Amino acid sequence: MSYLDELNDAQRAAVENVDGPTMIVAGPGSGKTRVLTYRIAHLIKLGVDSFSILALTFTNKASEAMRKRIEKIAGSDGRNLYMGTFHSVFARILRVEAPRIGYPSNFTIYDTEDAKSLLKTIIKEQGLDDKIYKPNQVLNRISAAKNALITPQRYAADPELLTEDRHAQKPATATIYKLYTERCFKSGAMDFDDLLLNIHIILEKFPEVLYKYQHKFRYVLIDEFQDTNYLQYSIVKKIADVFQNITVVGDDAQSIYAFRGATIDNILNFEKDFPELKVYKLEQNYRSTQNIVKAANELIHKNKHQLKKEIWTQNDKGEEIKIVRTPSDNEEGRWVADSIMELKMREHHKNNEFAILYRTNAQSRAFEESLRRHNIPYKIYGGMSFYQRKEVKDLLAYLKLTVNPYDEEAMKRVINYPARGIGQSTIDKVTILAATENKAAWDILDNIANYDFTARAKTSIEEFVLMIKSFAALSVSKNAYDLASHVGKATRLIAELYNDKTVEGVSRFENVQELLNSIKEFVEEDVLQEDEVIFTDKNIGTFMQNVSLLTGNEKEDENLDTVKMMTIHSAKGLEFPVVYVVGVEENLFPGAQSLYSLEDLEEERRLFYVAITRAESRLFLTYASTRYKFGSLNYCEPSRFLMEIPENVVSYHGDLKKPKAPDAAKNLYSKVSSQPIPKPVVRTSTSTSAEPFISDDVSGLQTGMEVMHEKFGEGKVVNIEGSGVNKIASIFFAQFGTKKIMLKFAKLKILKGGV
């Protein structure tokens, strides 16, 4: 059988018509990679010299996988392709052409850390404040300029850019950019962005070089075209201009990387640059059920800016998409873990058949904790576990020192973060002294005046010790959240993260806020789970014990059968039998920052489209009624995207609770009555527009009393157990079932007396 016989009619047409400008619009699960691979192999089989084919991808993994498949069809000629990522291919060409602009052929390539190190040096030499001119932020600014074809000279002459820098209190950015470029040139080094910018400069400045590569690469093919930026497209457009045998493959509905500089305009306006364009649409989905495909179609049709297509599938209709409401984000985590356990038990799914997808990294915490409680192994794809993230560990280290100042590892981690003038040599000297005198490092720090250190080091250490002691003193009277908030502010750790407005910086700030949210919930959570330890104290020591119990058994084993957890951006290109898209709430997904721009809102909708099309057979969309944000309990609205899914493919479920034995093996959903998604008013517990919730004295609470809870609404006391400060009430709430509440921490209004 010919390799072409493996293709459906649309795929085959896209493979066989090899000449002229071509756009292959490939919906999710439609065989995009196969079509691009077979098209390249077909070119070689038709006699096209493989050396004349330029194929560009976005990952080395993708290019290597494609090359192997091409070789299986076309033989060893597949090895001669110029195939790889934009950066790897153009770095290879620059080894030949770089001397034309004064670089050596053996130029060095600076990675991100190299680039930030050089910028840090320049900022210091210029006498600038590195708290304002953070190397990471400056590098991002320079990178954005390069990808927009803005050289240092153009940057310095652009009044709009200079005004933006003045408003950001960084007027010296243009000078730093110029010096950075000069230092790279003197060192014979290029950063990743230079690999593309310098290729573009050479093609513009030297017509003979442009002519050379236009005639060398008679066929140009680009994968994931919707993810290209202005500079990348500008380069390939120049190279393909003579023969116009340019093929782009992608899906405008999966354009989700604007924050990296990608522009959807490249794919939407491609026909304007190549009027003779032939368009092939791959609309048959081989991945998902009919219900999932229908939901995806209806959703994406709400976008104004798109290439029209109608995805279809011959797969089974499949189960309804389940939209699930839970009372809180912690309950959301518990529900997902319970659901995974249920499906594993009932249908014998493996862990690796499940994926939990979220909008922001900070959301992972509740799901990680719940999976751990069930002993379900999981892996964070494209990231790390919540409690292993640097910024989380930094704040936890301060809290550890508050509880136990003799924790040497915690001390080493934060004694000079944020920077307070205690260098590594000073820390090393403290460690050596402690070992020599058989003392703890804290004892040396606490008596630093008695040792031979510089006056500056002594002052900095004394201030650090005094600060930690003050935290310990406050821990006696403050609860865990109030103390942690104070520690985050007093150490300047929160301010340090808040001031970093890069994508990575925002994510780090969100992670620390989520840690504080978890501590707030720990303090205020008076709901006791039957299978969990009961914590009667809400101090920082008890919270740290809780974290240790949760994280103590973490194992890194790549061979484990694990549930996959990841942001939706990381999930692009992947597929799973069962998918949970979580936190589908207004101001979270879509994010609050996207609600004021049509372009941003449409990108959020495309991101949701990517999320739901990862699912093969089962899709769950969950959201919480309440979520802690910045220490306040917020009431959440379901996302507008949920309302854009057709009613006939979904079922609604509210506040599910795992069935008790002997019904544990029964279908989780048979216990739940379908109900429309409620749309509660968005407000916070600190809102001035709503009447504040004032709790009553509940020391005399009795069985039969009717009460009001801020989160769960009206309920009835069905049992009282324990005595004194350990007294616990079992209260039945119509919406949420029976909850056990420790009266010491209960926030209840008494509505009606007992019998």
Side-chain angles (χ1 to χ4, degrees), residues 216-265:
K216 176 177 177 57
F217 298 126
R218 292 172 176 258
Y219 290 87
V220 178
L221 302 98
I222 308 167
D223 191 17
E224 303 287 7
F225 185 61
Q226 76 280 349
D227 295 336
T228 54
N229 62 32
Y230 177 72
L231 176 55
Q232 289 165 333
Y233 179 42
S234 184
I235 292 170
V236 294
K237 187 165 61 172
K238 285 178 179 295
I239 292 173
D241 192 48
V242 172
F243 293 100
Q244 299 216 345
N245 291 324
I246 180 171
T247 300
V248 300
V249 183
D251 182 6
D252 61 295
Q254 298 186 64
S255 178
I256 59 173
Y257 293 116
F259 68 94
R260 292 184 189 168
T263 171
I264 193 174
D265 292 341

Side-chain angles (χ1 to χ4, degrees), residues 73 108 398 466 573 692 711:
I73 299 171
T108 301
Y398 275 114
L466 183 61
K711 187 190 298 184

Side-chain angles (χ1 to χ4, degrees), residues 96 226 256 299 311 361 389 456 586 592 605 637 661 664 733:
V96 177
Q226 76 280 349
I256 59 173
L299 175 85
I311 307 302
N361 271 308
R389 294 168 192 163
R456 181 183 177 189
E586 286 291 292
R605 187 176 285 111
E637 256 188 68
F733 298 96

